Amino acid sequence: MSPLTILRIEKLKTFGNVAGSDDHVTRNRETPNADPTKENVRLIGGEDERALEEIVKEKISTLKHRPRHDAVLCTEMFLSASPEYFRPGDPSQSGQWSDSLMQQWAIASRDWLAQNYGSKCVRAELHLDESTPHIHAYIVPVNEKTGRVSHDAMFGGRGGQGRIKLSKLQDSYAAALAPLGIERGVKGSKATHTKVKEYYQAVNSEPLTAVITNNQLAPIPFESARNYVARIQSDDQFQAINHQLADRKFLIERLERAEQRARDSEKERQQLEKRVRSLEAQTQQLRDLALEDVAWELGLNCDRTHQSRWKGHGHIINIDGPKFYDFAPDQQKGSGGAIDLVMHVNQCNLRQAVVWLHERFGESGAERAAIAKTREVAAEIIQLEPRTPFQLPVEEKSKWTAVHNYLTQKRGIPENFVELLHKRGLVYADDQQNAVFVMRNLGLYPQAIGAFLRGTRGENNTFKGYEKGTVRREGWFHFRLGGQPTSPVEKVVLLKSPIDAVSFAMLEYQLRGDVPPNRTLYMAVDNPKSLPVEQLQNIPNVQVAFDSDDFGNAAARVVKELLPQSKRLKCKADDWNQQLLDYGQQLRQQHQQQQEQDDELSL
């Protein structure tokens, strides 16, 4: 059976009717047959969040004449299609549909409303929280000729005019949906459709009562089966019960889904409770022992007049949270933590204090005290111990020629760019003839906080590594090309090594014949752990040009998770430096062939 169009209209004669309909459609009123977990969509009027009543009043206020006391102020139009369209596989699956089919129908219906009613259609709401998708559209029936609201001029009329207009309206809507395979019902059919209000009344009524009290559904004596079926199918009560049964099934399925969600939520709650208990245990482990408990075990007594003061063994100790101070005349000193308190009272060393705490508070208590002591010592060291600033390897100028030749001859990097990097202090030679690539932060004035070393001495030198003290998470070998020097970076290329970064930039330059049009940052990142996510997350164009091996592909996937805008870029050779060498060889061969052709022509 082909799916059919569904179109109903309802007259709203008072602003109270308008407000009531709006409350239902926007779910400001409880709707038992609606699924609260699904969201509806506003197709028309989405930019206006005012109440529908206010919008209709404003529309009518622009007319020449005020509405008559019995005028229809707004027409509610109900649009849908039979279930066979939305769920062709099984129309009985209430509350389910094909999203793509639903979207095609919704767009076609919205366009039809806009084309036929324009600004008169002040709102259209797509409902997706009931058994079948449908649209509630609100049309202010403005008659431009008379300057009044007139439902009859648009949809009604006397002498059968209303029936003719509604038939043409059905034809028009069916024509708009015809490309989707949705057809119009049989013209002139005596079958009547439930109105919008009657539909919801049917949905919320008791089906058995409706069947028992409706004698029209009973067979007539000597009535044939075919005539009986035709009569039943054309009866309003039969249509209402069909709607009702579909919604009852929808509600049962929704209840089952809700129960399943409740079971899943209970499992999740139990898992969260287990996690919370684990975190509480871990947090407790990080807390020191209460000094009051330690003082009691040490044989001190709490002063009843000063609850924070403990006396005994010649001590007058005031406890304030994790800190204590001994006010005894021959003591006059303080500290903090359980271990220090035991060392102070028992006049013992740290190891003896830990053993004493283990005897009184068990292994976990001793560990808590030890952890607290360690944290205290660590905090003190962090605060007081001076930092040793990073020192770049000492430059050895006599070795630069050898490093320069390695980069230009063996690695195929253009001489002028090598000299440019050297002049900027981004690469130089150390006393071991290593190429030193300076790693800097990404600040406005980048500071050197590390160095990557590449061995160049000998034929097959494979040495590479980082200078001691390099901060790998905060410094990178990088340089910028293209655009204006003061322009913000619009593109970032991530590569595994400094030589790959330089090689990639030179490949781009040779292929383009110029620097990039936009400011581009070339950056060596050998591991996603050192990726500066915060600095790169707002740059729209990020290219990940790691090697095409398993490690490079795995690293690229991690970068994609951290920077969703990034795109993978693979080289054809083993790495970008090899691709630069191959391209250089190709250019030389082309140049040689061209030279030979020129020589032949000159002969």
Side-chain angles (χ1 to χ4, degrees), residues 18 56 82 104 112 114 118 191 199 331 366 383 455 506 518 556 577-578 597:
V18 174
V56 172
S82 57
Q104 294 178 44
W112 177 79
Y199 167 78
Q331 299 292 336
Q383 183 177 6
M506 291 300 96
N518 300 320
N577 182 248
Q578 186 60 51
Q597 292 176 1

Side-chain angles (χ1 to χ4, degrees), residues 373-386:
K373 179 65 174 177
T374 303
R375 292 173 62 190
E376 179 186 355
V377 173
E380 183 178 351
I381 292 173
I382 292 170
Q383 183 177 6
L384 301 178
E385 189 68 18

Side-chain angles (χ1 to χ4, degrees), residues 337-354:
I339 290 179
D340 281 6
L341 181 57
V342 175
M343 292 170 62
H344 174 71
V345 175
N346 288 349
Q347 294 295 298
C348 63
N349 60 30
L350 186 144
R351 297 172 66 90
Q352 293 168 333
V354 172

Side-chain angles (χ1 to χ4, degrees), residues 349-600:
N349 60 30
L350 186 144
R351 297 172 66 90
Q352 293 168 333
V354 172
V355 171
W356 186 92
L357 288 168
H358 179 267
E359 292 175 349
R360 270 71 175 179
F361 295 94
E363 183 175 353
S364 63
E367 287 179 351
R368 287 173 57 186
I371 291 172
K373 179 65 174 177
T374 303
R375 292 173 62 190
E376 179 186 355
V377 173
E380 183 178 351
I381 292 173
I382 292 170
Q383 183 177 6
L384 301 178
E385 189 68 18
R387 270 70 168 168
T388 302
F390 172 76
Q391 296 292 329
L392 281 167
V394 177
E395 182 178 8
E396 180 56 59
K397 294 183 179 180
S398 65
K399 304 290 187 181
W400 171 243
T401 300
V403 172
H404 175 276
N405 293 338
Y406 170 84
L407 295 174
T408 56
Q409 297 174 14
K410 190 166 185 176
R411 292 295 189 167
I413 301 172
E415 290 188 17
N416 58 350
F417 194 68
V418 171
E419 286 301 328
L420 177 62
L421 293 175
H422 182 57
K423 185 178 180 180
R424 290 186 178 179
L426 298 182
V427 62
Y428 63 89
D430 66 5
D431 61 350
Q432 299 298 315
Q433 198 179 308
N434 293 315
V436 180
F437 293 94
V438 178
M439 299 169 61
R440 305 169 297 156
N441 59 21
L442 292 177
L444 185 61
Y445 303 101
Q447 301 295 316
I449 54 177
F452 180 82
L453 310 181
R454 182 63 174 88
T456 68
R457 180 184 297 167
E459 286 297 321
N460 298 308
N461 193 322
T462 59
F463 169 74
K464 50 188 174 182
Y466 293 90
E467 178 69 6
K468 289 183 179 180
T470 294
V471 186
R472 296 176 66 177
R473 293 180 184 269
E474 298 181 12
W476 307 266
F477 174 79
H478 62 84
F479 57 91
R480 292 172 170 82
L481 292 177
Q484 298 296 322
T486 57
S487 300
V489 172
E490 297 184 28
K491 174 184 171 183
V492 174
V493 185
L494 305 177
L495 301 111
K496 71 166 185 179
S497 69
I499 288 181
D500 260 14
V502 175
S503 300
F504 185 94
M506 291 300 96
L507 266 172
E508 278 197 332
Y509 179 82
Q510 292 178 2
L511 291 170
R512 184 183 289 113
D514 198 357
V515 296
N518 300 320
R519 198 66 171 161
T520 301
L521 172 66
Y522 300 89
M523 188 175 186
V525 178
D526 68 346
N527 194 297
K529 291 180 181 178
S530 62
L531 188 68
V533 176
E534 291 186 5
Q535 290 94 326
L536 302 183
Q537 62 185 356
N538 294 322
I539 296 178
N541 188 358
V542 177
Q543 294 183 347
V544 184
F546 296 153
D547 288 351
S548 300
D549 56 12
D550 291 342
F551 180 82
N553 292 331
R557 287 192 292 270
V558 175
V559 173
K560 182 67 175 178
E561 294 178 0
L562 299 172
L563 299 173
Q565 79 274 28
S566 65
K567 295 182 179 179
R568 184 74 166 104
L569 194 62
K570 295 185 178 182
C571 58
K572 299 177 181 178
D574 291 340
D575 56 34
W576 292 103
N577 182 248
Q578 186 60 51
Q579 190 160 328
L580 175 66
L581 291 169
D582 293 344
Y583 185 69
Q585 179 66 23
Q586 180 183 345
L587 290 179
R588 285 190 295 272
Q589 290 176 353
Q590 292 176 354
H591 178 73
Q592 183 177 356
Q593 292 173 358
Q594 184 64 41
Q595 186 65 40
E596 292 174 354
Q597 292 176 1
D598 292 343
D599 292 343
E600 290 176 0

Side-chain angles (χ1 to χ4, degrees), residues 13-292:
K13 291 189 174 184
T14 68
F15 288 115
N17 296 149
V18 174
S21 180
D22 186 33
D23 284 342
H24 166 75
V25 170
T26 57
R27 300 307 189 227
N28 291 329
R29 177 187 299 171
E30 183 179 357
T31 308
N33 56 301
D35 185 348
T37 65
K38 295 183 179 181
E39 293 186 4
N40 298 324
V41 179
R42 184 160 296 176
L43 300 176
I44 296 176
E47 68 283 352
D48 195 338
E49 294 297 330
R50 294 178 297 167
L52 179 64
E53 178 184 1
E54 185 179 349
I55 296 172
V56 172
K57 284 182 178 179
E58 182 183 72
K59 187 75 173 175
I60 293 176
S61 67
T62 62
L63 302 179
K64 295 180 181 179
H65 306 286
R66 296 179 60 184
R68 299 188 304 271
H69 71 280
D70 59 345
V72 175
L73 303 176
C74 184
T75 302
E76 179 182 357
M77 184 176 291
F78 180 95
L79 302 175
S80 187
S82 57
E84 289 82 5
Y85 170 75
F86 294 106
R87 35 186 178 271
D90 187 356
S92 65
Q93 290 294 319
S94 181
Q96 300 180 22
W97 52 79
S98 164
D99 285 336
S100 61
L101 293 177
M102 180 275 292
Q103 291 173 8
Q104 294 178 44
W105 162 79
I107 292 172
S109 299
R110 180 201 62 193
D111 293 346
W112 177 79
L113 287 168
Q115 182 179 355
N116 283 273
Y117 302 106
S119 62
K120 297 176 185 176
C121 182
V122 295
R123 180 171 291 174
E125 195 93 8
L126 170 62
H127 274 193
L128 300 174
D129 59 355
E130 297 181 56
S131 58
T132 301
H134 56 271
I135 296 171
H136 293 269
Y138 293 94
I139 300 162
V140 180
V142 175
N143 188 332
E144 286 86 353
K145 293 182 180 179
T146 62
R148 297 180 183 273
V149 288
S150 176
H151 175 87
D152 285 349
M154 190 173 290
F155 302 106
R158 300 178 181 178
Q161 288 299 312
R163 195 160 47 248
I164 295 173
K165 288 179 182 179
L166 288 179
S167 179
K168 290 182 177 180
L169 188 65
Q170 297 278 4
D171 291 342
S172 174
Y173 185 50
L177 300 187
L180 305 181
I182 306 175
E183 300 178 359
R184 189 200 194 287
V186 179
K187 288 188 178 183
S189 171
K190 294 182 180 180
T192 59
H193 299 287
T194 55
K195 295 180 182 179
V196 176
K197 186 184 299 183
E198 292 170 349
Y199 167 78
Y200 285 110
Q201 289 175 346
V203 165
N204 295 309
S205 64
E206 288 296 331
L208 291 177
T209 303
V211 172
I212 293 172
T213 59
N214 186 2
N215 294 326
Q216 292 181 358
L217 298 185
I220 298 174
F222 307 109
E223 184 178 26
S224 69
R226 179 176 296 178
N227 290 340
Y228 176 66
V229 170
R231 181 169 61 83
I232 291 297
Q233 289 180 344
S234 66
D235 192 277
D236 287 347
Q237 290 294 329
F238 179 79
Q239 299 293 338
I241 292 172
N242 274 346
H243 286 307
Q244 186 183 58
L245 292 176
D247 269 71
R248 290 293 185 270
K249 182 179 180 181
F250 172 59
L251 289 175
I252 291 172
E253 292 174 351
R254 200 183 85 194
L255 177 61
E256 291 175 351
R257 291 197 299 269
E259 290 175 346
Q260 183 60 47
R261 286 196 299 270
R263 288 191 292 269
D264 294 341
S265 297
E266 176 61 20
K267 291 180 180 178
E268 185 176 358
R269 184 190 65 78
Q270 293 176 0
Q271 293 173 354
L272 288 174
E273 282 188 353
K274 184 177 180 181
R275 178 63 176 159
V276 168
R277 288 194 296 269
S278 174
L279 290 174
E280 287 177 344
Q282 294 177 23
T283 303
Q284 184 67 18
Q285 190 68 17
L286 294 176
R287 294 196 185 105
D288 197 356
L289 296 170
L291 295 191
E292 291 82 359

